[in-house]
Amino acid sequence: MNKTTIRAFAAGILFATTAIGTVQYYAKPSSINEKKTNDQLVTIKKEEYEKLLRIKEASEKHPKPSEQKTTYVYTLIIKKGEASREIAHRLEQAKIIQNAKSFLTYLEHKHLTRKIRPGTYTVTSEMTYEEIEKLITK
């Protein structure tokens, strides 16, 4: 290849790039009726938007009945010398607490695992870890 051929080739690439860029820049955008997604944004017709608004307003006027939360009540009997691990496991089985390990971690963090007192206690699933801890450590 000689010098003239390389220059002609470079000029052709430059011309083609300029032509493609010009067409892309001045081309009309796509029709609004077309649905395009771009980062979770969607273009829709005005009628569709108004229909969605009416549906939303109707659902707000007639909310679904709230789900009733079940409250569990458990009589916890703690015997002298019983391990806190066993107590936490029983509370988890009775659905008073969600996770026995997290309750044990809470007790260990507060240095209360050895301060649990024997006795009979009534606990509910609506009680917090702090409320249960105050009840059984007195």
Side-chain angles (χ1 to χ4, degrees):
M1 272 204 220
N2 60 20
K3 198 178 199 184
T4 310
T5 309
I6 293 174
R7 284 185 183 167
F9 184 70
I13 290 177
L14 182 62
F15 178 74
T17 305
T18 305
I20 292 172
T22 304
V23 169
Q24 287 293 326
Y25 184 75
Y26 289 108
K28 289 184 180 180
S30 62
S31 170
I32 292 179
N33 294 336
E34 243 179 75
K35 292 182 182 179
K36 283 190 163 184
T37 59
N38 184 12
D39 293 334
Q40 300 179 351
L41 297 176
V42 179
T43 306
I44 60 173
K45 293 181 181 178
K46 186 176 180 179
E47 297 82 29
E48 290 180 79
Y49 176 72
E50 290 170 352
K51 180 180 177 184
L52 289 172
L53 281 179
R54 285 192 301 272
I55 292 170
K56 180 182 175 188
E57 289 171 2
S59 68
E60 289 174 352
K61 288 179 184 176
H62 304 289
K64 294 180 181 178
S66 61
E67 296 177 18
Q68 293 180 348
K69 185 177 179 185
T70 304
T71 302
Y72 296 94
V73 179
Y74 180 67
T75 303
L76 176 65
I77 301 172
I78 301 175
K79 298 175 185 169
K80 186 175 181 179
E82 189 170 14
S84 57
R85 177 178 53 252
E86 295 171 11
I87 296 166
H89 182 67
R90 283 191 294 156
L91 289 173
E92 182 182 29
Q93 285 181 330
K95 297 183 181 179
I96 302 300
I97 58 175
Q98 294 290 326
N99 190 326
K101 287 184 181 181
S102 65
F103 184 65
L104 281 173
T105 303
Y106 172 81
L107 291 176
E108 289 170 0
H109 178 69
K110 296 268 201 161
H111 307 288
L112 298 171
T113 54
R114 299 195 180 266
K115 294 185 180 182
I116 297 174
R117 303 285 178 218
T120 303
Y121 308 98
T122 302
V123 292
T124 68
S125 58
E126 292 189 359
M127 295 175 80
T128 64
Y129 286 174
E130 184 178 357
E131 292 171 332
I132 295 171
E133 163 254 309
K134 286 181 180 180
L135 182 68
I136 65 176
T137 57
K138 288 189 182 178

